[in-house]
Amino acid sequence: MSTTEEPKKNPLAHLAGLARDTIPPMHPAGRPFVLGAAAATLLLRRLWRPAGVLGGVLTAWCAWFFREPARTTPSRPGLAVAPADGTVSHIEPAEPPAELGLGDEPMVRISAFLTIFDVHVQRIPLAGRIETVAYRPGKFLSADLDKASEDNERNSMVIRGADGTRVAVVQIAGLVARRIVCSVAEGDEVATGSTYGLIRFGSRVDLYVPANSRILVEPGQRTIGGETVLAELPQVRS
């Protein structure tokens, strides 16, 4: 009787594979910060060894802050998923940002507040086509305040789904956040859950869905960007 032996696995390759699966990759926007922190760490280490240790901790934290973990996005159509990790702070009727041209008819605004400990990349909430992208300068109030949606610096966009449903997603700067990154443009076709932007370093993301959507989250609930379903969207009648 012959037996088939399983090929032996290289322990180092196995450990490397586990590390790749455990340690998330870094968003490209974070590379200049990590490289700068690493260079400063080397310099500090030459001047004073304990300072180099602190610099190393800072460099590691910076790399961790800009992490972009893989996510498993629900595939069922008609869902709007969370555009960001964070805590649901508000669910309320609200007019979408005027610069998006969606009119003054209230939609449902679902706001998520991000602390510096949350993943800070933003993800597409609905597959479709980018209709509008609009940046508006503003203040840098604490992102957990109600008026932050209206007064703070923001980058907004409208996504039209395959059935014609439109949602709006807004990146909002906060008290510490001073830089909004958006890597998509008008006319781009986007997939649900794909990364499209980043806010540094503490912020808020608002999702506007049609008023007759079925909201599936509550204030205080934690969301996982690209995975948590926020709402079931109404079907558009042709």
Side-chain angles (χ1 to χ4, degrees), residues 40-191:
T41 297
L42 292 175
L43 178 60
L44 290 172
R45 190 175 185 276
R46 290 191 175 194
L47 298 175
W48 188 43
R49 196 177 188 87
V53 174
L54 292 176
V57 172
L58 177 62
T59 301
W61 179 85
C62 197
W64 175 79
F65 176 86
F66 287 103
R67 66 198 184 279
E68 186 180 350
R71 295 288 164 79
T72 302
T73 302
S75 58
R76 183 161 70 88
L79 302 178
V81 303
D85 289 35
T87 301
V88 177
S89 55
H90 302 88
I91 300 175
E92 57 196 350
E95 295 179 12
E99 61 267 25
L100 292 179
L102 293 176
D104 55 7
E105 192 72 25
M107 302 178 75
V108 178
R109 182 173 66 200
I110 306 171
S111 302
F113 175 68
L114 291 70
T115 70
I116 60 171
F117 301 105
D118 288 309
V119 173
H120 267 62
V121 297
Q122 283 77 61
R123 299 175 185 271
I124 297 294
L126 175 70
R129 182 176 179 273
I130 304 295
E131 277 198 338
T132 308
V133 178
Y135 167 78
R136 199 205 71 169
K139 300 178 181 178
F140 295 97
L141 304 174
S142 178
D144 59 344
L145 297 177
D146 288 347
K147 57 184 179 180
S149 291
E150 285 76 30
D151 295 344
N152 279 23
E153 178 172 320
R154 67 191 183 215
N155 187 80
S156 310
M157 67 181 188
V158 176
I159 305 171
R160 179 185 286 272
D163 66 350
T165 303
R166 292 196 295 181
V167 303
V169 62
V170 186
Q171 300 165 285
I172 302 172
L175 187 64
V176 179
R178 300 286 163 149
R179 181 76 170 92
I180 296 175
V181 177
C182 179
S183 57
V184 295
E186 294 177 4
D188 287 353
E189 296 289 336
V190 291

Side-chain angles (χ1 to χ4, degrees), residues 211-228:
N212 53 343
S213 300
R214 182 187 174 203
I215 307 303
L216 300 177
V217 290
E218 299 286 343
Q221 183 174 336
R222 292 282 303 167
T223 63
I224 300 176
E227 289 192 357
T228 304

